[in-house]
Amino acid sequence: MEHHDLSRPEFYASSAWGTYYPNRYYFTIAVDKTREAAGLSDTKHDLTIAEQRQLQWENYPAILHEFLHYMQDLSTMVGQACLFNQVLMKSIFTKYTTPGMSSAASLGNQKNTSFDNDFYNAFMFNRTLEGGGVLITKMHQISKIENSDEAITARNGSQLVTRMFSIPEIHYVEKTGSGDISASVKLGSFYLFECIAHEIDQLVSKRQNHIMAASNSRKATEYTVGRMVAQFLYPHIEIKNIIRLAVMALQSMNCGDAFIQMVNELKKNESNGISQEQSVLLIKQKIQQQMRQNEANFVALLNEYVRIFQGRTQLEKAFTYLTKVSIELYRERIKDPCFDIEWIYDDKIDELLDKVQLCDFLYIFDHTLPLSLDPGFNRDYIGTALQDMDTSVALKAMVAFDHYFSMHYAQTTVLVEQKIKDNYCCPFYNCCSLHYRKDHANTCQTKPWRIYELQYATDQEYCWYGSGVLETKGLSIPKKMRP
């Protein structure tokens, strides 16, 4: 079965209401109106507080869905393990750059076996932790769940260490008029992340009287795998407890296995007269103890990211900010491993948004000028909840750095550009109003890393994408970056 690589979400999320970008820490929301209808114009480039609130209300379930991904990505062991591997791959990627400052080309791996192996191992480690991706066949009925042994290799100092992980494999069928179609997927973090966010969608949509047009179309898809697995093992499990267990399972590297064990614990306890609520409290206490024991390692790992990017001004600033948010959220989870879920169930969403600052977001508006040769130019709106604009700009340079990396991996730029596609497009393509974007639209759309070369050769004032490339080359920004 095809595995959708979660580090390249733009490849499969173009039709989604919302999309969270795991290594970029922001999300996009597809708004069902034009920018003019939202309150923007050629002369008015910012939304008023009232206009922002209106957009937020109209897209509330989608925003909360993506915000939950962000919080759980930053404050769980699985999220941090995937980030660790991403940082390792990116630090190797920075060594592939063309010498000198004038070129944006990556030379790919230069047959350096240790780099090559470390890169591949980190990539496969993340793929194993994430498990399956978007379901190609509908999951109508689970036939069985069995364990599948997967080898994970990682470097421990100078040694390569291989450990076996026993990952749950879900065998299921799609019922069709012409018979059953059998398939199987691995239960990893992807399905738990989507389960949590989808179930919260349903709850919040009902409360807000939002019409969830997508809810029926999401049945038997990746959004409902978590619920189906839990109900297959324990038909009487409450939805709220499925979500709580999914959140707590993300504190284990083998989160699919942890989730199944927790569901079975609830089932076993109920046969011994212990209520689901009591069982969840007992599991919470175990997770709290585990998180307390792991806190020092968690903080040390995060500080290591900042050290790795020291001297790359924007990336250092971005990772310093994300580290601070991660540690705050992790400590909040030590108090209650499911604090975000409990607050949403208690209808304290405003308090949650006060406690945890919303990450950056991009509103994608409908095309406003269908007859225009460039209908996407300055169409969308990128928003930030941050007061510190330097950090906001640094986070956007990090988005560009991740995009540049994810379009290449270990391939040379020459090879990448032989199969140029629109989905190599700069993440900021439709919210940019710079003359570079206007004059070099094709470059920004099909090979945005090359915009750096134009900026280096002229004024050396870099756009967000240009600065992401510059930081990959290892130097601090010598001049101010264009907002």
Side-chain angles (χ1 to χ4, degrees), residues 321-401:
Y321 171 74
L322 291 169
T323 292
K324 178 174 152 289
V325 175
S326 283
I327 293 168
E328 284 170 4
L329 285 173
Y330 190 86
R331 287 181 176 150
E332 202 59 47
R333 286 206 191 282
I334 289 176
K335 292 183 219 165
D336 183 345
C338 308
F339 79 92
D340 40 356
I341 304 308
E342 307 299 353
W343 288 15
I344 291 167
Y345 263 89
D346 291 345
D347 210 2
K348 293 181 180 171
I349 295 173
D350 288 342
E351 287 95 322
L352 183 62
L353 288 165
D354 283 342
K355 180 83 185 167
V356 187
Q357 202 160 44
L358 195 66
C359 55
D360 283 359
F361 53 91
L362 178 74
Y363 286 131
I364 300 171
F365 291 114
D366 278 355
H367 282 322
T368 50
L369 300 166
L371 301 176
S372 161
L373 290 173
D374 193 352
F377 182 73
N378 198 24
R379 181 194 71 202
D380 298 337
Y381 179 83
I382 194 154
T384 186
L386 293 173
Q387 301 299 311
D388 175 5
M389 291 317 291
D390 285 349
T391 299
S392 177
V393 167
L395 288 167
K396 291 168 182 68
M398 185 194 68
V399 167
F401 171 62

Coordinates of all heavy atoms in Angstrom, one line a residue, residues 321-401:
Y321 N 12.3 29.5 20.3 CA 10.8 29.7 20.6 C 10.1 28.3 20.7 O 9.4 28.1 21.7 CB 10.2 30.5 19.5 CG 8.7 30.6 19.6 CD1 8.1 31.4 20.6 CD2 7.8 29.9 18.8 CE1 6.7 31.5 20.8 CE2 6.5 29.9 19.0 CZ 5.9 30.7 20.0 OH 4.6 30.8 20.1
L322 N 10.3 27.4 19.8 CA 9.6 26.2 19.8 C 10.0 25.3 21.0 O 9.1 24.6 21.6 CB 9.8 25.4 18.5 CG 9.2 26.0 17.2 CD1 9.8 25.3 16.0 CD2 7.7 25.9 17.3
T323 N 11.2 25.4 21.4 CA 11.7 24.7 22.6 C 11.0 25.2 23.8 O 10.5 24.4 24.7 CB 13.2 24.9 22.7 OG1 13.9 24.2 21.7 CG2 13.8 24.4 24.0
K324 N 10.8 26.5 23.9 CA 10.1 27.1 25.1 C 8.7 26.6 25.1 O 8.2 26.2 26.2 CB 10.2 28.6 24.9 CG 9.5 29.4 26.0 CD 9.7 30.9 25.9 CE 8.6 31.8 26.4 NZ 7.4 31.7 25.6
V325 N 8.0 26.6 24.0 CA 6.6 26.2 23.9 C 6.5 24.7 24.3 O 5.6 24.3 25.1 CB 6.0 26.4 22.5 CG1 4.6 25.9 22.4 CG2 6.0 27.9 22.2
S326 N 7.4 23.9 23.8 CA 7.4 22.4 24.0 C 7.6 22.2 25.5 O 6.8 21.3 26.1 CB 8.6 21.8 23.3 OG 8.3 21.6 22.0
I327 N 8.5 22.8 26.2 CA 8.8 22.6 27.6 C 7.6 23.0 28.4 O 7.1 22.3 29.3 CB 10.1 23.3 28.0 CG1 11.3 22.6 27.4 CG2 10.2 23.2 29.6 CD1 12.6 23.3 27.5
E328 N 7.0 24.2 28.1 CA 5.8 24.6 28.8 C 4.6 23.6 28.7 O 3.9 23.3 29.7 CB 5.3 26.0 28.3 CG 6.2 27.1 28.8 CD 5.8 28.4 28.0 OE1 4.9 28.5 27.2 OE2 6.6 29.4 28.3
L329 N 4.4 23.1 27.4 CA 3.3 22.2 27.2 C 3.6 20.8 27.9 O 2.7 20.2 28.5 CB 3.1 21.9 25.7 CG 2.5 23.0 24.9 CD1 2.5 22.8 23.4 CD2 1.0 23.2 25.4
Y330 N 4.8 20.4 27.9 CA 5.2 19.1 28.5 C 4.9 19.2 30.0 O 4.4 18.3 30.6 CB 6.7 18.8 28.2 CG 7.1 17.4 28.6 CD1 7.0 16.4 27.8 CD2 7.7 17.2 29.9 CE1 7.4 15.1 28.1 CE2 8.1 15.9 30.2 CZ 8.0 14.9 29.3 OH 8.4 13.6 29.7
R331 N 5.3 20.3 30.6 CA 5.1 20.5 32.1 C 3.6 20.6 32.4 O 3.2 20.1 33.4 CB 5.8 21.7 32.6 CG 7.3 21.4 32.6 CD 8.2 22.5 33.1 NE 9.6 22.1 33.1 CZ 10.7 22.8 33.0 NH1 10.5 24.1 32.7 NH2 11.9 22.3 33.0
E332 N 2.8 21.1 31.5 CA 1.4 21.2 31.6 C 0.8 19.7 31.6 O -0.1 19.4 32.3 CB 0.7 22.0 30.5 CG -0.6 22.6 30.8 CD -0.7 23.5 32.1 OE1 0.2 24.4 32.2 OE2 -1.6 23.3 32.9
R333 N 1.4 18.9 30.7 CA 1.0 17.5 30.6 C 1.4 16.7 31.8 O 0.8 15.7 32.2 CB 1.5 16.8 29.3 CG 0.9 17.3 28.1 CD 0.9 16.3 27.0 NE 0.4 17.0 25.7 CZ -0.8 17.2 25.4 NH1 -1.8 16.8 26.3 NH2 -1.1 17.8 24.3
I334 N 2.5 17.1 32.5 CA 2.9 16.4 33.7 C 1.7 16.6 34.8 O 1.4 15.7 35.5 CB 4.2 16.8 34.3 CG1 5.3 16.3 33.3 CG2 4.5 16.4 35.7 CD1 6.7 16.8 33.7
K335 N 1.1 17.8 34.8 CA 0.0 18.0 35.7 C -1.2 17.2 35.3 O -1.9 16.7 36.2 CB -0.3 19.5 35.7 CG 0.8 20.4 36.3 CD 0.2 21.9 36.3 CE 1.4 22.8 36.0 NZ 0.8 24.2 35.6
D336 N -1.5 17.2 34.0 CA -2.6 16.4 33.5 C -2.2 16.0 32.0 O -2.2 16.9 31.2 CB -3.9 17.2 33.5 CG -5.1 16.3 33.0 OD1 -4.9 15.3 32.4 OD2 -6.3 16.7 33.2
P337 N -1.9 14.7 31.8 CA -1.5 14.3 30.5 C -2.5 14.6 29.3 O -2.1 14.6 28.2 CB -1.3 12.8 30.6 CG -1.1 12.6 32.1 CD -1.9 13.6 32.8
C338 N -3.8 14.8 29.7 CA -4.8 15.1 28.7 C -5.4 16.5 28.9 O -6.6 16.7 28.7 CB -5.9 14.1 28.8 SG -5.4 12.4 28.7
F339 N -4.6 17.4 29.4 CA -5.2 18.7 29.8 C -6.0 19.4 28.7 O -7.0 20.0 28.9 CB -4.1 19.7 30.4 CG -3.3 20.4 29.3 CD1 -3.6 21.6 28.8 CD2 -2.1 19.7 28.8 CE1 -2.9 22.2 27.8 CE2 -1.4 20.4 27.8 CZ -1.7 21.6 27.3
D340 N -5.4 19.3 27.5 CA -6.1 20.0 26.3 C -7.5 19.4 26.1 O -8.5 20.1 25.9 CB -5.2 19.9 25.1 CG -4.5 18.5 24.9 OD1 -4.7 17.7 25.7 OD2 -3.9 18.4 23.8
I341 N -7.6 18.0 26.2 CA -8.8 17.3 25.9 C -9.8 17.7 27.0 O -11.0 17.9 26.8 CB -8.6 15.8 25.8 CG1 -7.6 15.4 24.8 CG2 -9.9 15.1 25.6 CD1 -7.8 16.0 23.4
E342 N -9.3 17.6 28.3 CA -10.2 17.9 29.4 C -10.8 19.3 29.3 O -12.0 19.6 29.5 CB -9.5 17.8 30.8 CG -8.8 16.4 31.0 CD -9.7 15.2 30.9 OE1 -11.0 15.4 30.9 OE2 -9.2 14.1 31.0
W343 N -10.0 20.3 29.0 CA -10.4 21.7 28.9 C -11.4 21.9 27.7 O -12.4 22.6 27.9 CB -9.2 22.6 28.6 CG -8.4 22.8 29.8 CD1 -8.4 22.0 31.0 CD2 -7.4 23.8 30.1 NE1 -7.4 22.5 31.9 CE2 -6.8 23.6 31.3 CE3 -6.9 24.9 29.3 CZ2 -5.8 24.4 31.9 CZ3 -5.9 25.7 29.8 CH2 -5.3 25.4 31.1
I344 N -11.2 21.1 26.6 CA -12.2 21.2 25.5 C -13.5 20.6 25.9 O -14.6 21.2 25.7 CB -11.6 20.6 24.2 CG1 -10.5 21.4 23.7 CG2 -12.7 20.5 23.2 CD1 -9.6 20.7 22.6
Y345 N -13.5 19.5 26.6 CA -14.7 18.8 27.1 C -15.4 19.7 28.1 O -16.7 19.7 28.2 CB -14.4 17.4 27.6 CG -14.7 16.3 26.6 CD1 -13.7 15.9 25.8 CD2 -15.9 15.7 26.5 CE1 -13.9 14.9 24.8 CE2 -16.2 14.7 25.6 CZ -15.1 14.3 24.7 OH -15.4 13.4 23.8
D346 N -14.7 20.4 28.9 CA -15.3 21.3 29.9 C -15.7 22.7 29.3 O -16.0 23.6 30.0 CB -14.3 21.6 31.1 CG -14.1 20.3 31.9 OD1 -14.9 19.4 31.8 OD2 -13.1 20.3 32.7
D347 N -15.6 22.8 27.9 CA -15.9 24.0 27.2 C -15.0 25.2 27.7 O -15.5 26.3 27.8 CB -17.4 24.3 27.4 CG -17.9 25.1 26.1 OD1 -17.1 25.3 25.2 OD2 -19.1 25.5 26.1
K348 N -13.8 24.9 27.9 CA -12.8 26.0 28.3 C -11.8 26.2 27.1 O -10.6 26.3 27.4 CB -12.0 25.6 29.5 CG -12.9 25.5 30.8 CD -12.0 25.1 32.0 CE -12.9 24.9 33.2 NZ -12.0 24.4 34.3
I349 N -12.3 26.3 25.9 CA -11.4 26.5 24.8 C -10.8 27.9 24.8 O -9.6 28.0 24.4 CB -12.2 26.2 23.4 CG1 -12.7 24.8 23.4 CG2 -11.3 26.5 22.2 CD1 -13.6 24.4 22.3
D350 N -11.5 28.9 25.2 CA -10.9 30.2 25.3 C -9.7 30.2 26.3 O -8.6 30.8 26.0 CB -11.9 31.3 25.7 CG -12.9 31.6 24.6 OD1 -12.6 31.2 23.4 OD2 -14.0 32.1 24.9
E351 N -9.9 29.5 27.4 CA -8.8 29.4 28.4 C -7.6 28.6 27.8 O -6.4 29.0 28.0 CB -9.3 28.7 29.7 CG -10.2 29.5 30.5 CD -11.7 29.2 30.3 OE1 -12.0 29.0 29.1 OE2 -12.4 29.2 31.2
L352 N -7.9 27.6 27.0 CA -6.8 26.8 26.3 C -6.0 27.7 25.4 O -4.8 27.7 25.4 CB -7.4 25.7 25.6 CG -6.5 24.7 24.9 CD1 -5.5 24.0 25.9 CD2 -7.2 23.6 24.1
L353 N -6.8 28.6 24.6 CA -6.1 29.5 23.7 C -5.3 30.6 24.4 O -4.4 31.1 23.9 CB -7.1 30.1 22.7 CG -7.6 29.1 21.6 CD1 -8.9 29.6 20.9 CD2 -6.6 28.7 20.6
D354 N -5.8 30.9 25.6 CA -5.0 31.9 26.4 C -3.7 31.2 26.9 O -2.7 31.9 27.0 CB -5.9 32.4 27.6 CG -6.9 33.4 27.2 OD1 -6.8 34.0 26.1 OD2 -7.9 33.6 27.9
K355 N -3.9 30.0 27.3 CA -2.7 29.3 27.9 C -1.7 28.9 26.9 O -0.5 29.0 27.1 CB -3.3 28.0 28.5 CG -2.2 27.1 29.2 CD -1.9 27.6 30.6 CE -0.8 26.9 31.2 NZ -0.3 27.5 32.5
V356 N -2.1 28.5 25.7 CA -1.2 28.1 24.6 C -1.4 29.0 23.4 O -2.5 29.0 22.9 CB -1.5 26.6 24.2 CG1 -0.4 26.1 23.2 CG2 -1.5 25.7 25.4
Q357 N -0.4 29.7 23.1 CA -0.5 30.6 22.0 C -0.7 29.9 20.7 O 0.0 28.9 20.4 CB 0.8 31.5 21.9 CG 0.6 32.8 21.2 CD 1.7 33.8 21.6 OE1 2.8 33.4 21.6 NE2 1.3 35.0 21.8
L358 N -1.7 30.4 19.9 CA -1.9 29.8 18.6 C -0.7 29.9 17.7 O 0.0 30.9 17.7 CB -3.1 30.5 17.9 CG -3.8 29.9 16.7 CD1 -4.5 28.6 17.1 CD2 -4.7 30.9 16.1
C359 N -0.4 28.8 16.9 CA 0.8 28.9 16.0 C 0.4 29.8 14.8 O -0.8 30.1 14.6 CB 1.2 27.5 15.6 SG -0.1 26.5 14.9
D360 N 1.4 30.0 13.9 CA 1.1 30.8 12.7 C 0.1 30.0 11.9 O 0.0 28.8 11.9 CB 2.3 31.1 11.9 CG 3.2 32.2 12.5 OD1 2.7 32.8 13.6 OD2 4.2 32.5 12.0
F361 N -0.7 30.7 11.1 CA -1.7 30.1 10.2 C -1.8 30.9 8.9 O -1.5 32.1 8.9 CB -3.1 30.0 10.9 CG -3.5 31.4 11.5 CD1 -4.3 32.2 10.7 CD2 -3.1 31.8 12.7 CE1 -4.7 33.4 11.2 CE2 -3.5 33.1 13.2 CZ -4.3 33.9 12.4
L362 N -2.3 30.2 7.9 CA -2.5 30.8 6.6 C -3.9 30.6 6.1 O -4.4 29.4 6.0 CB -1.5 30.2 5.6 CG -1.6 30.7 4.2 CD1 -1.0 32.1 4.0 CD2 -0.8 29.8 3.2
Y363 N -4.7 31.7 5.9 CA -6.0 31.5 5.3 C -5.9 31.5 3.8 O -5.3 32.4 3.2 CB -6.9 32.7 5.7 CG -7.4 32.7 7.1 CD1 -7.2 33.9 8.0 CD2 -8.0 31.6 7.7 CE1 -7.7 33.9 9.3 CE2 -8.4 31.6 9.0 CZ -8.3 32.7 9.8 OH -8.7 32.7 11.1
I364 N -6.4 30.4 3.2 CA -6.4 30.3 1.8 C -7.8 30.7 1.3 O -8.8 30.1 1.5 CB -6.1 28.8 1.4 CG1 -4.8 28.4 1.9 CG2 -6.2 28.6 -0.2 CD1 -4.5 26.9 1.7
F365 N -7.8 31.8 0.5 CA -9.1 32.3 0.0 C -9.4 31.8 -1.4 O -8.5 31.4 -2.1 CB -9.0 33.9 0.0 CG -9.0 34.5 1.3 CD1 -7.9 35.2 1.8 CD2 -10.1 34.4 2.2 CE1 -7.9 35.8 3.0 CE2 -10.1 34.9 3.5 CZ -9.0 35.6 3.9
D366 N -10.7 31.9 -1.7 CA -11.1 31.5 -3.1 C -10.4 32.5 -4.1 O -10.1 33.6 -3.8 CB -12.6 31.7 -3.3 CG -13.4 30.5 -2.7 OD1 -12.7 29.5 -2.4 OD2 -14.6 30.6 -2.7
H367 N -10.2 32.0 -5.3 CA -9.7 32.9 -6.4 C -10.6 34.1 -6.5 O -11.8 34.0 -6.6 CB -9.6 32.2 -7.7 CG -8.4 31.2 -7.8 ND1 -7.2 31.5 -7.3 CD2 -8.3 30.0 -8.4 CE1 -6.4 30.5 -7.5 NE2 -7.0 29.6 -8.2
T368 N -10.0 35.3 -6.5 CA -10.8 36.5 -6.6 C -10.9 37.0 -8.0 O -11.8 37.7 -8.3 CB -10.2 37.6 -5.6 OG1 -8.8 37.7 -5.9 CG2 -10.4 37.2 -4.2
L369 N -9.8 36.8 -8.8 CA -9.8 37.3 -10.1 C -9.6 36.2 -11.1 O -8.5 36.0 -11.6 CB -8.6 38.4 -10.3 CG -8.7 39.5 -9.3 CD1 -7.4 40.3 -9.3 CD2 -9.8 40.5 -9.7
P370 N -10.6 35.5 -11.5 CA -10.5 34.3 -12.3 C -9.9 34.7 -13.7 O -9.3 33.9 -14.4 CB -11.9 33.8 -12.5 CG -12.8 34.8 -12.0 CD -12.0 35.7 -11.0
L371 N -10.1 35.9 -14.1 CA -9.5 36.3 -15.4 C -8.1 36.8 -15.4 O -7.4 37.0 -16.4 CB -10.4 37.4 -16.1 CG -11.9 37.1 -16.2 CD1 -12.7 38.3 -16.7 CD2 -12.0 35.9 -17.2
S372 N -7.6 37.0 -14.2 CA -6.2 37.5 -14.0 C -5.2 36.4 -14.5 O -5.5 35.2 -14.3 CB -6.0 37.8 -12.6 OG -4.6 37.9 -12.3
L373 N -4.1 36.8 -15.0 CA -3.1 35.8 -15.4 C -2.4 35.2 -14.2 O -1.8 34.2 -14.2 CB -2.0 36.6 -16.2 CG -2.4 37.0 -17.6 CD1 -1.3 37.8 -18.3 CD2 -2.7 35.8 -18.5
D374 N -2.5 35.9 -13.0 CA -1.9 35.4 -11.8 C -2.9 35.6 -10.6 O -2.7 36.4 -9.8 CB -0.6 36.2 -11.5 CG 0.3 35.6 -10.5 OD1 -0.2 34.6 -9.8 OD2 1.4 36.0 -10.3
P375 N -3.9 34.8 -10.6 CA -5.0 35.0 -9.6 C -4.5 34.7 -8.2 O -5.2 35.2 -7.2 CB -6.1 34.0 -10.0 CG -5.4 32.9 -10.8 CD -4.2 33.6 -11.5
G376 N -3.4 34.1 -8.0 CA -2.9 33.8 -6.6 C -2.1 34.9 -6.0 O -1.8 34.9 -4.8
F377 N -1.7 35.9 -6.8 CA -0.8 36.9 -6.3 C -1.4 37.7 -5.2 O -2.5 38.3 -5.3 CB -0.4 37.9 -7.5 CG 0.6 38.9 -7.0 CD1 1.9 38.6 -6.8 CD2 0.2 40.3 -6.9 CE1 2.8 39.6 -6.4 CE2 1.1 41.2 -6.4 CZ 2.4 40.9 -6.2
N378 N -0.8 37.7 -4.0 CA -1.2 38.4 -2.8 C -2.7 38.1 -2.5 O -3.4 38.9 -2.0 CB -1.1 39.9 -3.0 CG -1.1 40.7 -1.7 OD1 -0.8 40.2 -0.7 ND2 -1.5 41.9 -1.8
R379 N -3.1 36.9 -2.7 CA -4.5 36.5 -2.5 C -4.7 36.1 -1.0 O -5.8 36.4 -0.4 CB -4.9 35.3 -3.4 CG -6.3 34.8 -3.3 CD -6.5 33.5 -3.9 NE -5.8 32.4 -3.1 CZ -5.5 31.2 -3.6 NH1 -5.6 31.0 -4.9 NH2 -4.9 30.3 -2.9
D380 N -3.8 35.3 -0.4 CA -4.1 34.7 0.9 C -3.6 35.6 2.0 O -2.9 36.6 1.8 CB -3.5 33.3 0.9 CG -4.1 32.4 -0.1 OD1 -5.2 32.6 -0.5 OD2 -3.4 31.4 -0.5
Y381 N -3.9 35.1 3.2 CA -3.5 36.0 4.4 C -2.8 35.1 5.4 O -3.3 34.1 5.8 CB -4.8 36.5 5.0 CG -4.6 37.3 6.3 CD1 -4.2 38.7 6.2 CD2 -4.7 36.8 7.6 CE1 -4.0 39.5 7.3 CE2 -4.5 37.5 8.7 CZ -4.2 38.9 8.6 OH -4.0 39.6 9.7
I382 N -1.6 35.5 5.7 CA -0.8 34.8 6.8 C -0.9 35.5 8.1 O -0.7 36.8 8.1 CB 0.7 34.5 6.3 CG1 1.3 33.5 7.2 CG2 1.5 35.8 6.2 CD1 2.5 32.7 6.6
G383 N -1.3 34.8 9.1 CA -1.6 35.5 10.4 C -0.6 34.9 11.5 O -0.2 33.8 11.4
T384 N -0.4 35.7 12.5 CA 0.4 35.3 13.6 C -0.2 35.8 14.9 O -0.8 36.9 14.9 CB 1.9 35.7 13.5 OG1 2.6 35.2 14.5 CG2 2.0 37.3 13.5
A385 N -0.1 35.0 15.9 CA -0.6 35.5 17.3 C 0.6 36.1 18.1 O 0.4 36.5 19.2 CB -1.2 34.3 18.0
L386 N 1.8 36.0 17.5 CA 3.0 36.5 18.2 C 3.1 38.0 18.2 O 2.9 38.6 17.2 CB 4.3 35.9 17.5 CG 4.4 34.4 17.6 CD1 5.6 34.0 16.8 CD2 4.6 34.0 19.1
Q387 N 3.5 38.5 19.4 CA 3.8 40.0 19.5 C 5.2 40.3 18.9 O 5.4 41.3 18.4 CB 3.7 40.4 20.9 CG 2.3 40.2 21.6 CD 1.2 40.9 20.9 OE1 1.3 42.1 20.6 NE2 0.1 40.2 20.6
D388 N 6.1 39.3 19.1 CA 7.5 39.5 18.7 C 7.6 39.2 17.2 O 7.6 38.0 16.8 CB 8.3 38.6 19.6 CG 9.8 38.6 19.1 OD1 10.2 39.4 18.3 OD2 10.6 37.8 19.7
M389 N 7.7 40.2 16.4 CA 7.7 40.0 15.0 C 9.0 39.4 14.5 O 9.0 38.7 13.5 CB 7.5 41.4 14.2 CG 6.1 41.9 14.4 SD 4.8 40.7 14.2 CE 4.9 40.3 12.5
D390 N 10.1 39.6 15.2 CA 11.4 38.9 14.9 C 11.2 37.4 14.9 O 11.7 36.7 14.0 CB 12.5 39.3 15.8 CG 13.0 40.7 15.5 OD1 12.6 41.3 14.4 OD2 13.8 41.3 16.3
T391 N 10.6 36.9 16.0 CA 10.3 35.5 16.1 C 9.4 35.0 15.0 O 9.6 33.9 14.4 CB 9.8 35.1 17.5 OG1 10.7 35.5 18.5 CG2 9.5 33.6 17.6
S392 N 8.4 35.8 14.7 CA 7.4 35.4 13.7 C 8.1 35.3 12.3 O 7.9 34.3 11.6 CB 6.3 36.5 13.6 OG 5.4 36.2 12.5
V393 N 9.0 36.2 12.0 CA 9.8 36.1 10.7 C 10.7 34.9 10.8 O 10.8 34.2 9.8 CB 10.6 37.4 10.5 CG1 11.6 37.3 9.4 CG2 9.6 38.6 10.2
A394 N 11.3 34.6 11.9 CA 12.2 33.5 12.0 C 11.5 32.2 11.8 O 12.0 31.3 11.1 CB 12.9 33.5 13.4
L395 N 10.2 32.1 12.3 CA 9.4 30.9 12.1 C 9.1 30.7 10.6 O 9.0 29.5 10.1 CB 8.1 30.9 12.9 CG 8.3 30.8 14.4 CD1 7.0 31.1 15.2 CD2 8.7 29.3 14.8
K396 N 9.0 31.8 9.9 CA 8.7 31.7 8.4 C 9.9 31.3 7.7 O 9.8 30.5 6.7 CB 8.1 33.0 7.9 CG 6.7 33.3 8.5 CD 6.2 34.6 8.2 CE 4.8 34.9 8.8 NZ 4.8 34.9 10.3
A397 N 11.1 31.7 8.1 CA 12.3 31.2 7.5 C 12.5 29.7 7.7 O 13.0 29.0 6.9 CB 13.5 32.0 8.1
M398 N 12.1 29.3 8.9 CA 12.1 27.8 9.2 C 11.2 27.0 8.3 O 11.5 25.9 7.9 CB 11.8 27.6 10.7 CG 11.9 26.2 11.1 SD 11.1 25.8 12.7 CE 9.4 26.0 12.2
V399 N 10.0 27.6 8.0 CA 9.1 26.9 7.1 C 9.7 26.8 5.7 O 9.7 25.7 5.1 CB 7.8 27.8 7.0 CG1 6.9 27.3 5.8 CG2 6.9 27.7 8.2
A400 N 10.4 27.8 5.3 CA 11.1 27.8 4.0 C 12.2 26.8 4.0 O 12.4 26.0 3.0 CB 11.6 29.2 3.6
F401 N 13.0 26.8 5.1 CA 14.1 25.8 5.2 C 13.6 24.4 5.1 O 14.1 23.5 4.4 CB 14.8 26.1 6.6 CG 15.8 25.0 7.0 CD1 17.0 24.8 6.3 CD2 15.6 24.3 8.2 CE1 17.9 23.9 6.7 CE2 16.6 23.4 8.6 CZ 17.7 23.2 7.8

